[in-house]
């Protein structure tokens, strides 16, 4: 099958008004990735070398996301919503280039898996002209029914057009379709709109193929895979299914999770074997964790890299550009942004480290703030290897500490500190002996007068 060429036609012209959102429906994320990007990644994994995304009018943002996720994608515009077959034909020029397999998928059905698309392609390789994904929903209301007779898929009847007996059929159309490229355009051109919705139904390709002496096949899939998203509630259901899949994949890959149901992952989270994730950890997009690292409870990570054996949290916040080296410790209530922690460095408690490099083995004391922002611009802080920053210090960037330098607790550091020196940037302590007892006796005298 691998030598068969494959074009994916991704229908993304949906209006999405039931989402009640300014964001186009197919750009809503699941697992921190737009639904459209999921579908494009899946068609690519299923072997589609080419792809056309069919968008509605005024859908520039959808087209842009399509090109980001699948740079070679073509964009076709469907100016009027006249039905799924009409939408596919918006890509007529590309269809006519001649592909062995044409896959039609919906951009609002993000959970479809590449293995399923491959099964549909295998049905084509096995001689079917049309292959569809069938499933048995808990509630078949609204779905097209698969009409099977003599062990063969004869037709798909849309819910609105189905009679009583047909509505009793439980096997439904999941919406995906694979078409033999040699017949696709001819079949699609023959589809009419004499039906309840006055739409050009893609599903009519099945009956037309049979009428032309071609064969149609159905491949059974689970309901979760063909779950379409039209509302925010369905978006949340799709998210739940995806999260279950991501957690299961992580566990299968050797990640330890004590309470997997409480861990929130992104579609692109990369966790090595023997990483431990404690309960209630949130992974935003772009996080990679190397082996042996432990992410303690209630940590929140986004666009961060965590090196081998690093210990993070509890209650740590790693923001974009956090690069955490081997054996680093980032403790509770520590926030890191655009900062590199070289191997073995530590910030164990209550600190903000932004726009910085913290050298190998350096120690950032409790309550240290890297003052990186002056109200208009961001500035960098460099901490040399083995340097020690005493607790409750402020490092006012741009500033650097040389290797092995010390900063006394409570300092405000505004000038560079050379290697191996001590910097103190605080008011010298004053001690007034006997002052407290004098105060107490004054107070006592005052009380007697009353
Ligand atoms: C479709 C199937 C139905 C199946 C169901 C599964 C058809 C005719 N019916 O019905 O058999 O059980 O999906 O969920 O295909 N679209 C366009 N342009 C159009 C019309 C639709 O791009 O003119 C896109 C929509 O944005 C959506 C997809 O095609 O992504 C499906 O359209 P929709 O109207 O939701 O079809 P259903 O009635 O759900
Ligand atoms: Mg639908």
């Amino acid at each position: 099958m691998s030598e068969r060429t494959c074009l994916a036609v991704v229908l993304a012209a949906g209006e999405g008004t039931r989402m009640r959102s300014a964001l186009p429906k197919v750009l809503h994320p699941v697992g921190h990735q737009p639904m459209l990007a999921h579908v494009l990644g899946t068609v690519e994994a299923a072997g589609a070398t080419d792809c056309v995304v069919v968008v509605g009018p005024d859908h520039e943002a959808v087209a842009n996301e399509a090109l980001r996720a699948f740079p070679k994608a073509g964009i076709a515009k469907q100016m009027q919503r006249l039905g799924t077959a009409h939408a596919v034909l918006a890509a007529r020029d590309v269809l006519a280039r001649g592909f062995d397999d044409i896959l039609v998928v919906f951009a609002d059905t993000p959970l479809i898996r590449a293995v399923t698309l491959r099964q549909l392609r295998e049905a084509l390789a096995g001689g079917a002209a049309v292959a569809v994904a069938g499933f048995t929903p808990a509630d078949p209301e609204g779905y097209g029914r698969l009409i099977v007779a003599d062990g063969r898929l004869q037709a798909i009847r849309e819910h609105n057009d189905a009679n009583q007996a047909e509505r009793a059929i439980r096997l439904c159309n999941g919406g995906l379709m694979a078409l033999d490229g040699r017949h696709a355009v001819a079949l699609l051109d023959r589809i009419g709109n004499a039906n309840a919705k006055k739409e050009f139904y893609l599903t009519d390709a099945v009956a037309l193929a049979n009428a032309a002496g071609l064969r149609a096949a159905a491949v059974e899939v689970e309901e979760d895979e063909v779950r379409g998203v039209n509302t925010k509630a369905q978006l949340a259901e799709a998210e739940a299914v995806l999260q279950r899949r991501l957690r299961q994949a992580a566990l299968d890959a050797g990640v330890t999770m004590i309470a997997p149901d409480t861990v929130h992952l992104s579609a692109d989270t990369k966790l090595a074997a023997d990483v431990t994730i404690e309960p209630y950890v949130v992974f935003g997009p772009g996080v990679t964790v190397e082996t042996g690292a432990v992410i303690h409870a209630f940590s929140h990570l986004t666009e961060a890299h965590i090196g081998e054996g690093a210990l993070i949290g509890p209650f740590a916040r790693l923001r974009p550009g956090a690069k955490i080296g081997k054996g680093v410790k980032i403790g509770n209530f520590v926030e890191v942004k655009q900062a590199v922690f070289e191997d073995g460095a530590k910030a164990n408690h209550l600190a903000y480290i932004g726009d910085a490099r913290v050298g190998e083995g350096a120690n950032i004391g409790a309550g240290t703030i890297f003052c990186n922002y002056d109200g208009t611009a961001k500035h960098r802080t460099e901490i040399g290897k083995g340097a020690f920053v005493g607790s409750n210090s402020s490092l006012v960037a741009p500033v650097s500490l040389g290797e092995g330098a010390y900063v006394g607790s409570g300092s405000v550091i505004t000038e560079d500190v050379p290697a191996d020196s001590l910097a103190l940037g605080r008011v010298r302590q004053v001690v007034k002996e006997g002052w407290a007892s004098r105060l107490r006796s004054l107070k006592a005298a005052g009380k007697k007068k009353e």
Side-chain angles (χ1 to χ4, degrees):
M1 195 189 74
S2 57
E3 58 287 0
R4 289 175 69 96
T5 58
C6 177
L7 167 73
V9 181
V10 179
L11 304 192
E15 289 162 356
T17 46
R18 289 173 63 205
M19 299 293 275
R20 310 216 188 293
S21 169
L23 188 68
K25 177 167 80 169
V26 300
L27 298 186
H28 280 78
V30 288
H32 291 277
Q33 201 178 66
M35 291 196 275
L36 175 60
H38 279 274
V39 172
L40 290 172
T42 306
V43 296
E44 194 166 18
T49 46
D50 291 81
C51 166
V52 190
V53 180
V54 179
V55 302
D58 309 320
H59 264 181
E60 206 171 320
V62 177
N64 289 343
E65 174 57 22
L67 293 172
R68 191 199 61 77
F70 199 125
K72 263 184 67 189
I75 306 295
K77 272 203 178 146
Q78 187 195 25
M79 300 309 285
Q80 270 181 296
R81 243 182 95 92
L82 299 180
T84 43
H86 179 262
V88 176
L89 280 173
R92 178 189 293 275
D93 293 353
V94 189
L95 294 169
R97 274 189 225 150
F99 291 89
D100 296 319
D101 301 347
I102 312 285
L103 280 173
V104 180
V105 293
F106 300 159
D108 67 355
T109 308
L111 299 169
I112 185 67
R113 294 182 308 155
V115 289
T116 303
L117 297 180
R118 283 189 182 277
Q119 274 179 285
L120 293 178
R121 293 187 62 200
E122 271 158 25
L124 299 184
V130 180
V132 302
F135 73 115
T136 311
D139 176 11
E141 174 87 22
Y143 289 112
R145 307 299 205 280
L146 300 192
I147 315 274
V148 179
D150 307 326
R152 290 178 62 158
L153 177 62
Q154 306 288 341
I156 300 179
R157 192 79 69 239
E158 288 305 302
H159 183 86
N160 288 326
D161 300 288
N163 62 33
Q164 207 66 13
E166 288 164 342
R167 285 191 183 180
I169 297 172
R170 305 205 61 89
L171 185 61
C172 292
N173 176 25
L176 315 163
M177 188 178 281
L179 295 148
D180 182 327
R182 289 170 301 174
H183 305 294
V185 175
L187 287 172
L188 292 168
D189 270 335
R190 258 181 265 156
I191 293 172
N193 67 347
N195 52 52
K197 284 166 92 180
K198 300 276 170 289
E199 281 190 3
F200 295 87
Y201 290 158
L202 176 63
T203 43
D204 284 350
V206 171
L208 288 167
N210 278 293
L214 301 166
R215 193 161 65 79
V219 166
E220 274 218 60
V221 301
E222 291 199 6
E223 182 167 13
D224 276 346
E225 265 198 71
V226 288
R227 239 174 231 282
V229 173
N230 293 313
T231 63
K232 290 280 172 76
Q234 288 168 342
L235 183 69
E237 282 169 24
E239 182 75 53
V241 174
L242 181 70
Q243 289 296 329
R244 273 201 298 278
R245 276 191 199 168
L246 294 172
R247 289 180 203 122
Q248 190 58 52
L251 293 167
D252 290 346
V255 172
T256 301
M257 283 192 255
I258 299 152
D261 286 354
T262 67
V263 175
H264 183 90
L265 298 163
S266 280
D268 66 353
T269 304
K270 292 188 181 65
L271 305 172
D274 283 328
V275 162
T276 299
I277 315 287
E278 286 189 355
Y280 299 101
V281 172
V282 175
F283 290 90
V287 178
T288 302
V289 186
E290 305 289 356
T291 189
V294 179
I295 316 296
H296 291 290
F298 298 103
S299 294
H300 190 288
L301 301 78
T302 304
E303 288 170 43
H305 183 277
I306 290 106
E308 210 177 305
L311 304 178
I312 309 296
F315 297 99
R317 170 117 194 260
L318 300 187
R319 292 174 50 203
K323 292 197 175 63
I324 308 300
K326 274 188 201 172
V328 164
K329 285 173 83 174
I330 302 292
N332 38 210
F333 308 107
V334 173
E335 174 178 348
V336 180
K337 186 220 73 168
Q338 283 295 343
V340 176
F341 270 74
E342 293 178 352
D343 296 351
K346 288 178 195 159
N348 271 331
H349 338 259
L350 301 153
Y352 171 66
I353 295 105
D355 300 300
R357 180 184 69 87
V358 178
E360 193 180 323
N363 191 315
I364 307 298
T368 299
I369 304 295
F370 285 38
C371 309
N372 59 331
Y373 186 52
D374 62 12
T376 41
K378 302 278 170 65
H379 303 283
R380 285 190 60 78
T381 300
E382 293 279 335
I383 307 290
K385 180 175 169 180
F388 181 94
V389 179
S391 297
N392 198 31
S393 294
S394 302
L395 307 178
V396 182
V399 74
S400 68
L401 305 192
E403 284 191 12
Y406 263 68
V407 167
S409 296
S411 291
V412 177
I413 299 297
T414 54
E415 286 165 32
D416 292 350
V417 182
D420 296 322
S421 36
L422 167 68
L424 295 168
R426 63 190 187 212
V427 177
R428 179 179 284 277
Q429 183 171 319
V430 175
V431 175
K432 299 188 176 178
E433 280 182 25
W435 183 92
S437 59
R438 283 199 297 281
L439 176 74
R440 279 192 290 273
S441 34
L442 273 173
K443 279 193 171 167
K447 268 211 178 119
K448 265 182 206 152
K449 269 184 202 160
E450 274 175 359

